[in-house]
């Protein structure tokens, strides 16, 4: 590795464990793309590599990754099978790669296994293999036929476009659709950006990646004079404008990363942001290499000199080149460290900084001007530095029969839960409107924003505790005051970047801005909040849109997970809406513990409870940390008037956190259904026995508990499957829990059905719950568990009063 010329000592930077691994399974390609960094740029090491990886290399690679997982207690690893063109390795070798990884990784570490391919060889045989091992497929496509064939052709000049589209048709089949990971598109500014965007969107990808072409200061990217000073930024911004107008129909990694980093969150790509690099490449000969993009810098740039046969991954992580890429702000050139958008740009992709002549990588990106123009324009388009993306305007629609039946079985896809959320937002709007006379100045601002920036207003009104506050005021609860109307108006105005001058409450020395955070200003009473194009201020404490506010500003912090971003709400005074008290502001170590636990719990939900994941991602926006409960008791709750939030005291293990999340979100969903549909006769005042608790419950309580325990039963069924055939206390505990909860839930379902108080829609819900629990009744749990549950269950009367 050439000297970087960096002004700091890279060896002093902390080592970051790897969690992303690119495994080269074939070093050649069946296309001859003239923009390929592997074969067309400075590095020529591919000529001396074996064409295909061997089984021995795959086995040693899997063992090295597994050792690294154990050494650093990693909850998950991400492995990409790569090339060249990885499909040239053939199904047998790809199967061996998947088998070795599954063999080696320890229990408790989730494997996200993917393959990046040009797809011209993709076939049902490959996809059946990928379905067997859960291998997600990312496909390279540069847009419409003209755009794609500008570079992505066979060696004889033939087009690859039709073959790729045929492969995507295959990948979108119902039996394979879950394997579709997205499209990767390399930018050529001579292509029409909207034509490229529309062509990619037509392939219904779950994600799009736009990639800047690899270039350095020695070999800069093409900049046609007729396209202006910032052609790459202008190309992307044309798509960003259209994508935003379309309602962001698909995640776009570069745009989402700019949006996130502008709000102080992590990037989704190594080409932006200051997050330390945690990726390593294993070549076909077993050599460890740095990121592939370095091949564009100089011959041999990615090499480390380490191999899977002789060196651990910790040794690789200590390589000077790896440390340099993990050093964040300190590792950037001096002019980058002083740049106002450095925390979003991050200096750009490391490889794009290369310049010979002594400076090495200690330079801004060769795309510096484009990145600056892209980031500042996006910043100006999206408004103030808030953390929740604007939501679509509410459309209050009743559930379809199909959606209701999905919910009845305990699940509910994204569209179903979004329909619930839209109805809930409509209810919140009406509740807030009923309080308008209490703060006419705030109401006037809210009404103005409803016309000028409805998305910003809806993002604030959709906050779970906005509804909780409005409900308290309408009930006339002690301590509920109409200052909350001003807080909602101020937060919505800040999101819309509208000039505002509004008195707001000061509670416990802070001004609270729902969905955004709180500003510590001291004192009590009321203070004037003013906002301009530069930022906002209260009592002389100023928060700029693009500058940190120090410790006075405490933003709502969010955990970004694949497909789900959730707020850890520890600032809103209205969050104390659950039966257990809310925790105070999380210190950094506890925030990190929550982040790790949520990441692992989300991986488990996606793997073991896939029917719950889409709805949860669509509807659960907020987790409120609660204070720990009594020793040995896991504490969680959902509030009927806080759709989209659950309260949880962080449990000892991530699987239990996953259980609490899906259990409480069941209450959230059913509460939203009950707000819109009558499921039982409210005149029934009898109390019913609930098998899981000693005190009798009203009919709605039994309905809520039964619905929630559908998820509990499914969770323990997943645990039993995970321990299938294994001895030990954990396996026996899972079997006992499944036996208990399926018996409790099945009994309660029949009690509900026999109550005589259900409406026809209530009967339909209970029939769906019965259909959901029935398959779990036949899962073998063993005589010990069955006997234990029979001994602890009695048969009290259905109605006790």
């Amino acid at each position: 590795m050439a000297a970087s010329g960096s002004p700091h000592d890279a060896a002093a930077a902390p080592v970051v464990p790897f969690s992303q691994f690119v495994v080269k399974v074939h070093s050649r390609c069946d296309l001859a793309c003239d923009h390929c960094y592997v074969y067309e740029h400075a590095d020529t090491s591919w000529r001396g590599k074996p064409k295909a990886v061997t089984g021995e290399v795959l086995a040693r690679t899997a063992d090295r990754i597994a050792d690294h997982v154990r050494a650093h207690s990693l909850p998950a690893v991400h492995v990409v099978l790569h090339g060249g063109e990885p499909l040239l390795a053939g199904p047998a070798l790809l199967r061996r790669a998947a088998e070795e990884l599954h063999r080696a990784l320890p229990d408790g570490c989730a494997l996200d296994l993917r393959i990046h391919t040009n797809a011209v060889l993709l076939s049902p045989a490959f996809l059946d293999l990928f379905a067997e091992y859960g291998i997600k497929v990312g496909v390279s496509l540069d847009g419409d036929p003209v755009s794609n064939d500008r570079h992505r052709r066979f060696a004889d000049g033939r087009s690859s476009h039709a073959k790729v589209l045929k492969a995507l048709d295959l990948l979108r089949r119902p039996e394979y659709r879950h394997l579709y990971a997205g499209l990767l598109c390399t930018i050529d500014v001579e292509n029409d950006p909207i034509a490229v965007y529309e062509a990619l969107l037509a392939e219904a990808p779950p994600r799009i990646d736009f990639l800047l072409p690899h270039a350095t200061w020695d070999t800069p990217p093409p900049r046609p004079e007729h396209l202006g000073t910032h052609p790459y930024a202008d190309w992307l911004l044309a798509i960003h404008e259209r994508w935003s107008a379309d309602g962001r129909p698909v995640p776009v990694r570069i745009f989402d990363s700019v949006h996130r980093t502008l709000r102080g969150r992590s990037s989704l790509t190594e080409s932006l942001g200051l997050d330390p690099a945690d990726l390593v490449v294993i070549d076909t000969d077993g050599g460890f290499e740095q990121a592939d993009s370095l091949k564009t810098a100089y011959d041999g740039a990615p090499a480390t000199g380490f191999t899977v046969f002789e060196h651990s991954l910790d040794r690789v992580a200590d390589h000077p080149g790896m440390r340099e890429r993990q050093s964040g702000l300190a590792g950037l050139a001096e002019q980058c460290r002083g740049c106002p958008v450095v925390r979003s740009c991050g200096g750009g992709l490391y490889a794009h900084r290369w310049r010979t002549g002594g400076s090495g990588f200690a330079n801004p990106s060769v795309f510096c001007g484009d990145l600056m123009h892209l980031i500042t324009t996006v910043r100006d388009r999206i408004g103030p530095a808030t953390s929740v993306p604007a939501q679509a305007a509410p459309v209050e629609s009743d559930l379809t029969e199909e959606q209701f039946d999905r919910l009845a079985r305990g699940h509910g896809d994204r569209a179903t839960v979004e329909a619930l959320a839209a109805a809930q937002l409509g209810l919140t709007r009406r509740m807030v409107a009923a309080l308008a006379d209490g703060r006419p100045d705030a109401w006037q601002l809210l009404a103005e924003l409803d016309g000028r920036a409805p998305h910003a207003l809806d993002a604030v009104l959709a906050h779970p505790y906005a509804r909780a506050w409005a409900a308290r005021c309408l009930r006339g609860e002690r301590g509920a005051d109409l200052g909350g109307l001003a807080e909602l108006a101020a937060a919505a105005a800040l999101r819309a970047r509208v000039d505002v001058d509004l008195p707001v409450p000061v509670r416990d020395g802070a001004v609270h801005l729902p969905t955004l955070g709180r500003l510590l200003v001291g004192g009590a009473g009321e203070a004037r909040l003013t906002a301009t194009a530069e930022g906002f201020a209260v009592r002389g404490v100023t928060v700029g849109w693009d500058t940190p506010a120090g410790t006075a500003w405490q933003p709502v912090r969010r955990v970004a997970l694949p497909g789900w971003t959730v707020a850890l709400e520890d600032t809103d005074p209205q969050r104390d809406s659950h039966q257990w008290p809310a925790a105070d502001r999380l210190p950094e170590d506890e925030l990190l513990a929550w982040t790790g636990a949520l990441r692992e719990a989300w991986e488990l939900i996606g793997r073991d409870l896939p029917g719950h994941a889409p709805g949860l991602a669509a509807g659960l926006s907020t987790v409120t940390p609660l204070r720990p409960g009594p020793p040995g008791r896991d504490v969680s709750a959902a509030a009927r008037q806080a759709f989209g939030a659950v309260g949880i005291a962080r449990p000892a293990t991530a699987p239990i956190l996953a259980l609490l999340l899906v259990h409480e979100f069941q209450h959230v969903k059913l509460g939203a259904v009950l707000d819109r549909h009558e499921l039982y006769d409210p005149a029934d005042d009898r109390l019913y026995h609930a098998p899981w608790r000693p005190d009798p419950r009203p009919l709605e309580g039994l309905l809520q508990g039964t619905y929630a325990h559908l998820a509990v039963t499914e969770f323990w069924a997943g645990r039993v499957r995970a321990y299938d055939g294994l001895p030990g206390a954990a396996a026996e505990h899972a079997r006992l829990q499944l036996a208990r909860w399926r018996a409790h839930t099945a009994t309660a379902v029949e009690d509900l059905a026999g109550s005589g108080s259900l409406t026809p829609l209530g009967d339909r819900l209970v029939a769906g719950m019965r259909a959901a629990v029935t398959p779990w009744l036949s899962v073998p749990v063993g005589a010990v568990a069955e006997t234990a549950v029979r001994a602890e269950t009695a048969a009290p009367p259905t109605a006790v009063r």
Side-chain angles (χ1 to χ4, degrees):
M1 171 97 184
S4 71
S6 170
H8 80 295
D9 179 8
V15 169
V16 175
F18 298 114
S19 65
Q20 300 185 68
F21 305 88
V22 174
V23 179
K24 301 283 187 164
V25 294
H26 205 281
S27 66
R28 303 297 190 268
C29 189
D30 45 2
L31 294 183
C33 307
D34 58 15
H35 57 15
C36 179
Y37 61 86
V38 177
Y39 307 111
E40 303 294 335
H41 286 216
D43 186 74
T44 60
S45 62
W46 63 272
R47 300 180 188 276
K49 303 290 185 184
K51 286 186 177 180
V53 69
T54 65
E56 184 182 12
V57 168
L58 290 173
R60 292 298 297 142
T61 297
D63 289 338
R64 290 296 187 190
I65 294 173
D67 290 343
H68 200 60
V69 166
R70 294 186 186 94
H72 297 280
S73 301
L74 299 179
V77 292
H78 308 270
V79 179
V80 178
L81 305 177
H82 212 280
E85 170 47 49
L87 295 185
L88 289 173
L93 199 54
L94 295 176
R95 176 181 292 277
R96 176 71 183 272
E99 287 175 344
E100 292 292 352
L101 289 164
H102 282 283
R103 169 194 62 79
L105 285 177
D107 292 340
C109 178
L111 172 62
D112 177 13
L113 185 55
R114 296 172 182 249
I115 190 166
H116 285 177
T117 173
N118 61 37
V120 297
L121 293 176
L122 198 64
S123 67
F126 278 116
L127 288 173
D128 287 340
L129 169 66
F130 299 161
E132 182 180 350
Y133 287 97
I135 303 174
K136 303 289 179 55
V137 184
V139 176
S140 296
L141 179 68
D142 288 350
D144 57 286
V146 172
S147 301
N148 187 75
D149 291 345
R150 193 183 293 272
H151 302 286
R152 303 189 61 78
R153 298 185 299 271
F154 289 94
D156 60 6
R158 286 180 297 125
S159 168
S160 66
H161 190 263
K163 286 184 176 292
V164 179
L165 261 56
K166 184 177 180 181
L168 291 173
D169 284 339
L170 181 63
L171 190 54
R172 287 194 301 271
R173 287 183 184 176
E175 63 267 36
Y176 302 133
R177 173 75 201 196
H178 66 289
L179 302 175
Y180 193 3
L183 298 176
L184 296 88
C185 170
T186 300
I187 297 168
D188 186 322
V189 292
E190 295 282 12
N191 291 329
D192 180 341
I194 302 304
V196 170
Y197 167 74
E198 290 178 340
L200 298 178
L201 202 62
E203 300 307 315
R207 180 181 294 279
I208 296 174
D209 277 5
F210 290 112
L211 309 175
L212 290 168
H214 287 314
T216 68
W217 289 102
D218 294 350
T219 54
R223 294 187 179 278
E225 290 187 8
H226 67 284
L227 293 178
T229 309
H230 308 115
Y232 293 91
D234 292 338
W235 195 93
L236 284 166
L237 287 167
I239 295 177
H240 181 271
E241 183 175 23
R242 172 65 179 276
W243 176 72
S244 299
D246 288 346
R248 304 180 187 177
V250 59
V252 176
R253 195 183 302 269
I254 191 168
F255 298 154
D256 291 337
S257 292
V258 172
H259 290 184
R260 290 166 58 85
T261 54
L262 284 171
R263 284 142 173 74
R265 293 158 61 194
S266 61
S267 174
L268 301 173
T269 170
E270 68 169 331
S271 62
L272 291 171
L274 292 171
D275 303 290
D278 63 351
L279 177 145
V280 66
V281 177
I282 299 94
D283 218 323
T284 54
D285 62 354
F288 285 116
E289 291 193 344
Q290 300 176 70
D292 259 14
S293 56
L294 286 173
K295 292 178 183 293
T296 201
Y298 58 89
D299 203 5
T304 67
F306 301 139
T307 76
V308 296
F309 299 105
E310 300 172 300
H311 305 97
S312 70
L313 280 159
D314 277 1
R315 179 79 181 277
V316 181
D318 201 35
H319 183 276
M322 294 294 189
R323 283 185 171 272
E324 187 72 28
R325 292 173 53 242
Q326 296 175 348
S327 54
L329 187 65
L332 301 184
E334 184 176 354
Q335 57 263 54
C336 288
R337 296 199 301 274
C339 176
V341 299
V342 65
R343 296 190 178 278
S344 187
C345 168
L349 191 69
Y350 189 71
H352 295 172
R353 307 172 198 169
W354 174 256
R355 188 197 298 263
T356 56
S359 60
F361 293 100
N363 304 288
S365 168
V366 72
F367 292 100
C368 176
D370 290 281
L371 292 172
M372 170 72 84
H373 185 53
L374 172 68
I375 293 166
T376 55
T377 304
V378 169
R379 178 196 65 195
D380 293 342
R381 286 178 179 176
I382 65 178
T386 62
S387 298
V388 182
Q391 300 182 7
V395 179
E396 284 197 56
S397 58
D398 285 326
L399 296 169
T400 66
E401 290 189 3
E402 183 180 3
Q403 288 173 333
F404 185 87
D405 288 340
R406 286 198 190 103
L407 288 169
R409 288 175 172 264
H411 294 156
D413 60 7
R414 174 174 288 274
T416 300
V417 176
E418 285 176 345
L420 294 178
Q424 291 289 296
L425 179 55
L427 287 173
T428 301
R429 277 176 159 265
R430 291 195 289 273
M431 292 167 71
V432 170
L435 301 169
D437 291 344
R439 278 295 302 261
D441 55 344
W443 178 252
Q444 182 177 354
L445 178 56
L446 286 168
E448 177 186 340
L449 290 169
D450 203 14
R452 292 180 58 183
H455 297 313
L457 177 59
D458 286 338
V460 173
L461 295 182
H463 179 47
Y465 300 118
R467 166 87 169 272
W469 160 80
R472 288 192 182 103
C473 289
L474 291 170
R475 289 195 299 262
E477 288 187 14
R478 184 176 181 181
D481 65 73
L482 295 174
L485 208 63
E487 292 167 332
L488 294 172
L494 294 180
R495 295 178 68 90
R497 196 171 285 191
V498 170
D499 289 355
V500 62
D501 186 346
L502 183 71
V504 292
V506 178
R507 307 179 195 276
D508 297 323
V511 168
H512 297 272
L513 299 166
T515 74
L516 305 182
R518 67 185 177 197
L519 183 63
L520 305 180
V521 297
E526 200 169 64
R528 188 165 292 276
L529 182 147
T530 57
T532 65
E534 288 73 37
F536 67 95
V538 181
R539 289 184 178 170
V541 183
T542 301
V543 180
W545 302 135
D546 301 310
T547 56
T551 57
W553 174 241
Q554 295 183 340
V556 174
R557 297 171 294 192
R558 289 174 168 79
V559 179
L561 305 168
W564 181 38
T565 297
V566 62
L568 281 171
E569 180 56 83
D570 56 5
T571 65
D572 193 329
Q574 308 297 337
R575 73 188 188 279
D576 230 343
S577 298
H578 305 282
Q579 65 193 75
W580 298 93
D584 294 329
R585 177 76 168 175
L586 298 179
E588 286 300 319
D589 59 343
E590 181 63 9
L591 175 64
L592 289 174
W594 264 105
T595 300
L598 281 167
R599 182 175 294 113
E600 189 175 348
W602 181 236
E603 298 242 11
L604 186 149
I605 290 169
R607 184 178 70 242
D608 294 351
L609 298 163
H612 291 268
L616 191 145
L620 185 57
S621 65
T622 303
V623 172
T624 296
L626 303 178
R627 294 179 187 172
R633 179 171 181 180
D634 292 311
V635 167
S636 65
R640 177 66 178 275
Q641 297 294 350
F643 177 85
V646 300
I648 297 175
R650 183 173 62 84
T653 67
I656 296 302
L657 177 57
L659 171 60
L660 298 178
L661 286 168
V662 295
H663 170 264
E664 296 301 343
F665 193 59
Q666 293 290 91
H667 289 300
V668 172
K669 289 186 294 185
L670 186 57
V673 172
L674 287 165
D675 280 340
R676 299 279 292 175
H677 302 282
E678 195 169 83
L679 302 180
Y680 62 92
D681 180 1
D684 184 349
D685 62 354
R686 293 176 294 173
L687 297 179
Y688 291 79
H689 171 70
W692 48 84
R693 56 187 299 163
D695 55 322
R697 308 291 292 154
L699 187 57
E700 182 178 338
L702 181 63
L703 187 65
Q704 280 275 10
T706 308
Y707 190 71
H709 287 119
L710 288 178
V712 176
T713 303
E714 187 175 355
F715 171 86
W716 287 113
R719 296 283 85 193
V720 168
R721 283 197 303 269
Y723 291 118
D724 185 29
L726 297 177
E732 192 57 44
H733 177 70
R735 288 190 279 269
L736 176 62
Q737 292 296 323
L738 175 58
R740 175 179 294 130
W741 289 110
R742 71 186 183 184
H744 287 345
T745 308
T747 298
V749 165
E750 298 312 319
D751 287 350
L752 287 166
S755 68
S757 294
L758 299 179
T759 65
L761 200 59
D763 282 328
R764 186 168 181 168
L765 179 82
V766 169
M769 289 197 286
R770 181 188 291 114
V773 78
T774 297
W776 308 127
L777 299 176
S778 59
V779 175
V781 295
V784 173
E786 293 281 14
T787 301
V789 170
R790 279 197 298 269
E792 69 183 30
T793 54
T798 299
V800 297
R801 191 186 73 191

